[in-house]
Amino acid sequence: MSKQHTLIMPLDMHLHLRDGVMLETVAPLTSYTFSGAVIMPNLVPPVTSKEAVIAYKERILSACGYEMQENDFMDEDGLGGGDFEPLMTLFYQNYDEGFIEEIQDEIFAIKLYPAGITTNSEGGVKSFDIETMRPTLEAMERLHIPLLVHGETDGFVMDREAEFMSIYELLAGNFPDLKIVMEHITTKAAVDMLDKYANLYATITIHHLLITLDDVAGGMMKPHLFCKPIAKRPEDREALLKIALNAHPKVMFGSDSAPHPQDKKEACGCAAGVFTAPIALQLLCELFDDHGKLNNLQSFVSDNAQSIYGICPEFKEVTLVKEAFKVPEKYGNVVPMYSGETIAWSIEDVL
Ligand code: DOR
Ligand code: ZN
């Protein structure tokens, strides 16, 4: 019999679902195998109001085939109704305390983008002036709302994340009770930063554990592997692998699955984002199995996030099997990572 592995309540702690037809295509692919996902707010326009958060959550649940339930967010047993919980985020701006108090029950976290650094981030932070940001960040600290950060400067593309480390230090040092998550880390510099501050955490994608810049641009240009932050050097990937495979307690899986229509990827201006949602768990199983670390996957893909955020997801049990799976060429008009290729693990069953 083929080797099997069961994961309990997988969580994707960083996910782009978009809206409209794209949302309808991609949301069910995540809600099928994940108990919950942290939903990014970089829509056009970005999600900056209570009404927008509630309406977007409703559209997500409807795309997954669920109805919105009254007060279903963070009910007494954790994440709420249904067997997939969208954990909603608000797009960071310098909000006043009253607004944050009013919206706190509707959101899981606030996502900060430096202005213009990636897809739909033009309305993000232009200057990291701590005194300007202080009222918002202190309110978040007091209300226990985590800050999720896209940590890149506008410097040379390979150095952007490492250059951002001083801003993480500024944030983590000035707001010691604020939970700060370095999203989709790609460098050894970020791995080294993780243990310097008690209030710093990180998410890691599956693609940054698998590829380096060589895979993106070392041979023929691979638009479907182009994302931000861009994949880095082998030594960076090694540093990421070490903490992910050993399920360092401050790291969580966050796919950063970021679908774009095929014509926006296969274009002269290629949109940034790798679409991995439907194959993320299969690839994680393959990677952890190849390194003899399958026993640590449960922590990386669920338990660490539960402890870090104090959440208790709805029950879901996903059994994977080491049997070849041919990745579809496309899901709707989105081309996934490893499109048309065969990967080693498949989803066997979801309970
Ligand atoms: O590659 C990326 N795609 N990185 C981001 O930060 C945003 C994302 C997107 O929204 O497409
Ligand atoms: Zn993202």
Side-chain angles (χ1 to χ4, degrees):
M1 204 177 94
S2 307
K3 188 169 184 176
Q4 292 198 336
H5 189 71
T6 297
L7 295 169
I8 315 290
M9 303 179 291
L11 296 168
D12 183 345
M13 302 311 285
H14 184 131
L15 179 68
H16 297 267
L17 288 179
R18 316 299 189 202
D19 219 335
V21 176
M22 179 68 89
L23 171 65
E24 304 280 331
T25 304
V26 302
L29 300 171
T30 289
S31 67
Y32 174 48
T33 51
F34 287 88
S35 283
V38 177
I39 310 300
M40 292 300 122
N42 60 333
L43 304 182
V44 187
V47 179
T48 54
S49 71
K50 186 171 169 176
E51 296 69 35
V53 170
I54 294 170
Y56 188 33
K57 182 172 183 181
E58 223 162 280
R59 294 197 298 279
I60 293 168
L61 288 172
S62 150
C64 299
Y66 308 127
E67 291 301 315
M68 182 99 159
Q69 294 171 12
E70 222 19 64
N71 296 324
D72 70 343
F73 184 72
M74 291 296 228
D75 62 12
E76 60 291 341
D77 67 339
L79 294 177
D83 65 357
F84 173 74
E85 182 70 12
L87 302 165
M88 305 306 292
T89 63
L90 183 74
F91 188 96
Y92 184 97
Q93 291 177 343
N94 292 320
Y95 296 109
D96 65 45
E97 188 172 4
F99 173 79
I100 298 176
E101 272 177 12
E102 207 187 297
I103 202 169
Q104 61 174 317
D105 291 343
E106 308 300 335
I107 58 170
F108 179 75
I110 298 182
K111 173 71 189 287
L112 185 158
Y113 290 94
I117 212 65
T118 189
T119 313
N120 306 336
S121 64
E122 291 70 23
V125 171
K126 290 201 169 72
S127 138
F128 284 87
D129 174 44
I130 287 296
E131 292 320 313
T132 310
M133 300 173 78
R134 187 174 292 281
T136 311
L137 295 174
E138 280 182 352
M140 290 172 64
E141 202 172 25
R142 186 170 65 75
L143 299 169
H144 307 293
I145 301 172
L147 177 73
L148 317 184
V149 183
H150 183 116
E152 289 194 285
T153 66
D154 61 0
F156 181 66
V157 67
M158 289 292 279
D159 297 335
R160 286 176 188 178
E161 185 174 288
E163 285 175 4
F164 199 87
M165 292 303 129
S166 57
I167 298 177
Y168 279 128
E169 297 214 70
L170 205 61
L171 293 169
N174 273 277
F175 306 96
D177 294 327
L178 179 66
K179 210 163 261 182
I180 300 170
V181 184
M182 302 186 283
E183 294 294 326
H184 44 55
I185 60 171
T186 59
T187 55
K188 183 171 184 306
V191 171
D192 292 342
M193 185 59 63
L194 197 55
D195 289 322
K196 283 200 192 154
Y197 292 86
N199 56 332
L200 272 186
Y201 302 86
T203 58
I204 303 183
T205 73
I206 179 64
H207 50 281
H208 289 120
L209 291 171
L210 292 172
I211 65 171
T212 67
L213 184 62
D214 246 9
D215 298 288
V216 186
M220 298 262 266
M221 181 70 187
K222 298 283 171 49
H224 299 291
L225 297 182
F226 171 65
C227 64
K228 295 196 172 161
I230 198 147
K232 304 288 189 313
R233 310 182 70 86
E235 52 269 37
D236 293 307
R237 182 178 57 179
E238 282 311 308
L240 299 176
L241 276 169
K242 189 167 172 210
I243 56 169
L245 292 170
N246 292 308
H248 184 300
K250 295 176 89 180
V251 303
M252 305 164 268
F253 173 63
S255 71
D256 198 14
S257 175
H260 291 276
Q262 185 172 16
D263 65 324
K264 295 281 187 288
K265 294 289 291 174
E266 298 172 9
C268 352
C270 169
V274 182
F275 180 56
T276 53
I279 53 165
L281 292 181
Q282 299 91 315
L283 292 177
L284 283 167
C285 260
E286 182 170 351
L287 177 72
F288 277 64
D289 185 36
D290 287 350
H291 286 84
K293 295 283 187 179
L294 258 186
N295 287 343
N296 287 342
L297 183 53
Q298 177 63 33
S299 298
F300 181 61
V301 87
S302 184
D303 299 355
N304 286 357
Q306 291 183 49
S307 324
I308 290 167
Y309 285 113
I311 53 177
C312 173
E314 290 293 307
F315 189 77
K316 187 172 273 180
E317 192 178 277
V318 184
T319 299
L320 295 105
V321 60
K322 192 171 181 182
E323 281 173 10
F325 174 67
K326 184 165 185 286
V327 180
E329 304 272 339
K330 284 199 233 179
Y331 292 85
N333 65 347
V334 189
V335 179
M337 185 180 186
Y338 296 147
S339 165
E341 294 179 41
T342 298
I343 58 177
W345 284 72
S346 320
I347 305 286
E348 167 85 350
D349 200 15
V350 181
L351 290 177

